[in-house]
Amino acid sequence: MARNVQPAGQPAPQNAMEALTPEDAAGQENFDRIIAKDSRVEPKDWMPEAYRRSLVRQISQHAHSEIIGMQPEANWITRAPSLKRKSILMAKVQDEAGHGLYLYSAAETLGTTRDEMMDALVAGKARYSSIFNYPTVTWADMGAIGWMVDGAAICNQVPLCRASYGPYGRAMVRVCKEESFHQRQGFEILLELANGTPAQRAMAQDAVNRWYAPSLMMFGPPDDDSPNSKQSMAWNIKRFSNDELRSRFVGMLAEQVKVLGLTLPDDEIRFNEDTKKWEHGPLDWEEFKEVLAGRGPCNAQRLERRRSAHADGAWVREAAAAYAAKQAAKQSSTNAQKAAA
Amino acid sequence: MDHSSSLGGDASASATRITPGFALRPEDIALAAEQGTATPGGDVADYALRLGDDALILAQRLGHWISRAPELEEDVALGNIALDQLGHARSFLTYAGSAWGKSEDELAYFRHEPEFRSAHLFEQPNGDFAATIARQFIAANYQFPLYRELSKSTDPMLAAIAAKAVKEVDYHLDHSTQWVLRLAGGTEESRRRMEAGLALMWPFVGELFEDDPLIAKVGDAGVVPSSLKEEFDRSTGAVLAEAELDVSGHPMATGGGRLGRHSEYLGFILAEMQVLAREFPGAGW
Amino acid sequence: MNEARLPEGTAPAPAEGAPRWPLWEVFVRSSRGLSHVHAGSLHAPDASMALRNARDLYTRRNEGVSIWVVPSDAIAASDPDSKGSFFESPQGKDYRHATYYTKSEGVKHL
């Protein structure tokens, strides 16, 4: 397969067309045409190396977020306060493993193996959504995560169903469909608590207070400070800017919180009639950068848990591979005997 | 290997029909009890309680694996099995509770240790993956013929719950069999661990097949445990023979779970499972 | 489970060094009468585990009544670089389609 061999991290030559082989030039032309038509790029198509790298980065980060994101919720499976809630939570955390798998397989179509991505994650070299580095300290956090964190994720993900890279878009279609219950179950947990005893209600308000700002920051840095966004939008991977999605999300929260009878910890939420956009108070981007840089409350714990699950499972994966090899060898010697006879 | 050969999914496949399906749910059982169309007698309720407790404790144990399994695919597989078991538990407990005016949650969260009727096998710690597989292998080989026979129960609700459960346990049986074969026939280490796992779990086989006075009292509404032992020996024996594993030397432990005498582990399981519900008695969730 | 289509031992041998589970492509039939459609991929040590993993991963919500798994390596695909010529021939051969025949329009049962 013809590939652009532009090495990672180096700027493209001034006159890119001159440096391309005729094959690559034709590939680039075809790629540009696909993007211009808003059609889809498929795994075996020629694509610019930067596009491929950008997708691997985004899809693997997304997959890692699903996998690491299992932990803060798995934390409450054994303590869920009713059997119905226990079933729902188990199904939800299990769905997240499934979503991670859909996304890893989408990323694998770009020529990066899941093992490579997993190794990068446990080595602390890959990023995942910074919100999962906050602890889940009460049951109400299950509600707040479902309502706000999954809510923000859905806002981000729905436009990704139309991402220009086919396998990514298709994985997102599946993810979005399955996620529709995640946000609702979270909202209903909070609704139940908000209408419960005063202590339950306080628990719900406290969780909303803690998860509000981190969930807004899930959309990424403000547009003027988001280096990758522009290129991503030009490639039809991203469809809306970080701030645009964040503003929409705040608008939804502001309406939905009324149904809960709770409040959002932000006095500055308002709908700007001139810009027709929702506005919110300032966010602590320094904290965001700190957590992203590995200095959040649970970064070390989350990575260690993934690392140990992977390491503890190594002997199982080896055993199954060894068994498969033995069976295959047995099969081929049987076939050989049959052929000889 | 060229991983870029992966095709990456199809939009129309993603758009495949998703449905909740049709099956007996705990909510249906609660509704039937409310309408007075299906309420068990005391003995049948006691019997349903033990089946429910076995499944509940097993689900609680399996639930711990989610996010810790040896491979992500196995997180999903163990999650499915845990959800199945929890579903069975909820059905049996809902039905049992309807005899005493108690909900599934009142039974799960507000009984004390001696009031539980789970067998010791289900209370055993997860250990490593091989120990969990050993426990699953025993559990599924016990539950499969049990539910198949119970689906012919003279009690229509027990029969209906079992008819749903047996299909799911059929898969658990297959899952554990596949893994017993792979771990036994994989590497030296996996074989050593599989043997160690069986050594840990096998002593709790005996209790599962013990008859007691309640079994006589429920008659044809229930299944006589000892009547299932021969099939258990045969079905486990075939797999163990293929895997060249020998369990004949393992001693049988004294049980007592059906009488409320439990392993040391149950107290810890309940402490964790019940803590939040007990902190807010009477609260809704 | 019916595995008649997938003889044991179809798994590609694991690579040297740390054994890795190979990649499999999953095809799901959503109901009787419909084709199997590509759903995605997964990792498994062999064909029978691949089938089971596919069942757990791709049919959690009643999406299927039948599953195929194929080692990703076993799939031969047409070359995307030559797609212009590869798929050019049918272009313009509109006489292969019923809509080409306009004079018979309106004639019953035709």
Side-chain angles (χ1 to χ4, degrees):
Chain A
M1 171 161 55
R3 278 220 194 143
N4 187 337
V5 288
Q6 183 68 38
Q10 281 186 21
Q14 279 301 310
N15 190 344
M17 291 309 285
E18 256 177 30
L20 294 178
T21 65
E23 253 182 338
D24 284 355
Q28 178 77 50
E29 207 175 295
N30 191 44
F31 174 83
D32 292 342
R33 206 167 32 235
I34 290 173
I35 298 297
K37 276 198 302 193
D38 198 3
S39 180
R40 298 292 177 266
V41 179
E42 291 297 341
K44 297 208 159 200
D45 287 337
W46 186 96
M47 60 188 89
E49 206 49 37
Y51 176 82
R52 184 186 299 275
R53 268 203 312 276
S54 177
L55 277 170
V56 168
R57 180 180 52 80
Q58 182 173 340
I59 303 174
S60 65
Q61 276 180 18
H62 197 156
H64 296 331
S65 301
E66 296 281 356
I67 299 307
I68 296 289
M70 294 167 72
Q71 293 180 30
E73 291 179 283
N75 185 31
W76 282 90
I77 288 178
T78 52
R79 290 177 293 168
S82 78
L83 297 185
K84 185 177 88 176
R85 290 286 169 210
K86 192 190 286 288
S87 312
I88 295 170
L89 187 59
M90 240 190 234
K92 178 175 191 278
V93 179
Q94 187 209 28
D95 267 356
E96 280 150 16
H99 297 170
L101 285 171
Y102 303 156
L103 288 160
Y104 283 126
S105 48
E108 282 190 281
T109 62
L110 293 158
T112 307
T113 66
R114 190 163 101 203
D115 288 314
E116 287 165 346
M117 292 183 268
M118 197 55 86
D119 289 346
L121 175 64
V122 297
K125 287 183 200 152
R127 282 184 173 171
Y128 53 86
S129 187
S130 138
I131 198 155
F132 299 119
N133 291 316
Y134 292 90
T136 52
V137 288
T138 72
W139 171 252
D141 291 1
M142 298 304 98
I145 287 184
W147 178 44
M148 300 166 109
V149 177
D150 292 326
I154 293 169
C155 278
N156 252 329
Q157 287 167 356
V158 168
L160 288 175
C161 296
R162 294 190 294 129
S164 60
Y165 187 57
Y168 190 27
R170 293 191 287 270
M172 292 319 300
V173 168
R174 198 176 268 277
V175 169
C176 285
K177 256 193 202 183
E178 298 188 355
E179 289 251 335
S180 58
F181 101 77
H182 294 187
Q183 191 185 15
R184 284 195 182 196
Q185 65 85 36
F187 188 82
E188 290 190 10
I189 286 175
L190 289 177
L191 194 60
E192 211 42 85
L193 294 175
N195 293 316
T197 66
Q200 282 182 304
R201 191 180 168 76
M203 191 198 279
Q205 183 62 59
D206 164 66
V208 169
N209 292 350
R210 279 182 292 112
W211 292 95
Y212 170 75
S215 73
L216 257 58
M217 290 195 270
M218 280 176 74
F219 294 95
D223 293 346
D224 49 22
D225 189 25
S226 177
N228 297 322
S229 283
K230 226 181 194 151
Q231 180 62 70
S232 244
M233 287 176 73
W235 278 330
N236 293 346
I237 298 173
K238 230 173 131 77
R239 300 283 177 167
F240 302 99
S241 81
N242 295 353
D243 286 335
E244 206 170 334
L245 289 170
R246 184 164 24 240
S247 154
R248 269 193 222 176
F249 177 63
V250 169
M252 287 185 228
L253 289 188
E255 287 305 312
Q256 291 165 354
V257 77
K258 293 180 194 160
V259 181
L260 292 175
L262 299 172
T263 57
L264 295 172
D266 184 344
D267 304 333
E268 299 176 46
I269 297 177
R270 65 180 199 106
F271 184 70
N272 185 327
E273 286 295 344
D274 299 333
T275 60
K276 301 285 173 206
K277 283 195 190 323
W278 283 88
E279 294 173 352
H280 55 84
L283 295 167
D284 185 354
W285 291 106
E286 279 312 304
E287 179 184 308
F288 178 80
K289 284 176 187 155
E290 281 293 294
V291 178
L292 203 60
R295 291 183 287 272
C298 302
N299 297 58
Q301 177 192 342
R302 300 286 185 243
L303 270 191
E304 176 48 31
R305 164 89 159 270
R306 180 88 297 268
R307 192 180 295 131
S308 61
H310 195 66
D312 292 349
W315 68 270
V316 179
R317 297 191 299 274
E318 280 163 26
Y323 179 84
K326 285 183 201 172
Q327 293 296 109
K330 216 185 272 177
Q331 184 69 33
S332 64
S333 85
T334 315
N335 289 348
Q337 278 166 10
K338 270 186 204 157
Chain B
M1 176 160 53
D2 177 15
H3 285 271
S4 63
S5 65
S6 170
L7 307 179
D10 183 286
S12 57
S14 314
T16 42
R17 166 187 64 106
I18 288 175
T19 69
F22 296 99
L24 183 68
R25 303 163 312 152
E27 288 83 355
D28 303 322
I29 299 167
L31 193 69
E34 230 168 76
Q35 294 168 340
T37 51
T39 311
D43 293 333
V44 169
D46 280 334
Y47 180 69
L49 190 66
R50 9 176 112 160
L51 302 180
D53 283 348
D54 284 351
L56 175 62
I57 301 301
L58 183 57
Q60 180 75 2
R61 283 297 197 201
L62 288 171
H64 187 77
W65 271 108
I66 304 174
S67 76
R68 294 177 173 89
E71 187 53 287
L72 297 173
E73 279 84 355
E74 203 52 35
D75 274 301
V76 182
L78 288 171
N80 274 344
I81 296 173
L83 277 170
D84 288 344
Q85 291 287 339
L86 187 52
H88 307 163
R90 293 185 60 198
S91 292
F92 284 126
L93 292 181
T94 301
Y95 188 46
S98 65
W100 312 305
K102 285 187 192 291
S103 70
E104 52 173 350
D105 288 337
E106 285 170 294
L107 290 178
Y109 292 96
F110 294 93
R111 270 182 303 154
H112 295 285
E113 213 178 316
E115 297 168 280
F116 272 77
R117 291 290 175 269
S118 45
H120 288 208
L121 174 75
F122 305 100
E123 300 166 9
Q124 298 306 305
N126 285 339
D128 65 5
F129 186 68
T132 288
I133 290 300
R135 192 182 60 204
Q136 276 309 108
F137 182 62
I138 298 169
N141 275 287
Y142 160 69
Q143 287 178 329
F144 179 72
L146 167 66
Y147 291 155
R148 187 195 59 218
E149 292 309 308
L150 191 62
S151 69
K152 303 168 203 160
S153 165
T154 53
D155 183 291
M157 189 60 87
L158 281 184
I161 298 171
K164 157 85 173 145
V166 70
K167 292 184 213 154
E168 294 175 347
V169 171
D170 194 4
Y171 184 74
H172 307 174
L173 190 57
D174 175 71
H175 174 267
S176 63
T177 299
Q178 295 301 324
W179 274 115
V180 167
L181 293 176
R182 276 161 185 76
L183 297 184
T187 62
E188 250 173 65
E189 182 183 10
S190 70
R191 184 168 181 83
R192 178 182 61 74
R193 286 179 186 254
M194 191 65 246
E195 284 170 344
L198 285 168
L200 277 172
M201 300 296 175
W202 210 261
F204 306 102
V205 164
E207 182 188 9
L208 300 174
F209 301 98
E210 278 168 20
D211 300 335
D212 65 12
L214 178 67
I215 297 299
K217 280 193 262 178
V218 294
D220 290 340
V223 178
V224 178
S226 60
S227 72
L228 303 170
K229 184 64 167 44
E230 201 188 309
E231 182 172 346
F232 174 89
D233 289 341
R234 207 169 44 236
S235 61
T236 54
V239 176
L240 294 172
E242 188 182 340
E244 294 171 25
L245 291 166
D246 181 16
V247 294
S248 60
H250 300 313
M252 284 300 130
T254 313
R258 306 301 186 207
L259 301 170
R261 291 198 297 263
H262 294 284
S263 66
E264 286 181 347
Y265 306 114
L266 186 65
F268 290 94
I269 296 173
L270 297 186
E272 187 174 5
M273 185 174 83
Q274 297 178 334
V275 60
L276 181 58
R278 289 193 174 213
E279 208 178 317
F280 298 86
W285 300 99
Chain C
M1 194 174 301
N2 180 6
E3 288 170 35
R5 285 167 181 278
L6 285 159
E8 291 283 340
T10 50
E16 291 295 315
R20 306 291 200 187
W21 289 2
L23 193 65
W24 301 79
E25 300 300 327
V26 179
F27 299 81
V28 176
R29 184 201 293 285
S30 60
S31 66
R32 290 183 167 276
L34 298 180
S35 316
H36 286 78
V37 175
H38 187 232
S41 58
L42 51 73
H43 288 264
D46 53 46
S48 45
M49 289 307 279
L51 272 178
R52 287 160 178 86
N53 291 347
R55 173 260 194 200
D56 285 323
L57 185 57
Y58 289 103
T59 66
R60 295 198 304 287
R61 288 176 172 79
N62 292 313
E63 294 96 332
V65 295
S66 164
I67 297 175
W68 292 347
V69 292
V70 182
S72 300
D73 282 359
I75 291 179
S78 59
D79 181 358
D81 295 335
S82 65
K83 93 174 113 194
S85 47
F86 204 64
F87 297 109
E88 184 54 37
S89 172
Q91 303 283 342
K93 295 192 172 61
D94 38 1
Y95 49 80
R96 279 184 188 276
H97 302 268
T99 46
Y100 178 74
Y101 303 92
T102 50
K103 285 182 185 154
S104 51
E105 218 161 85
V107 180
K108 279 186 183 171
H109 309 301
L110 195 67

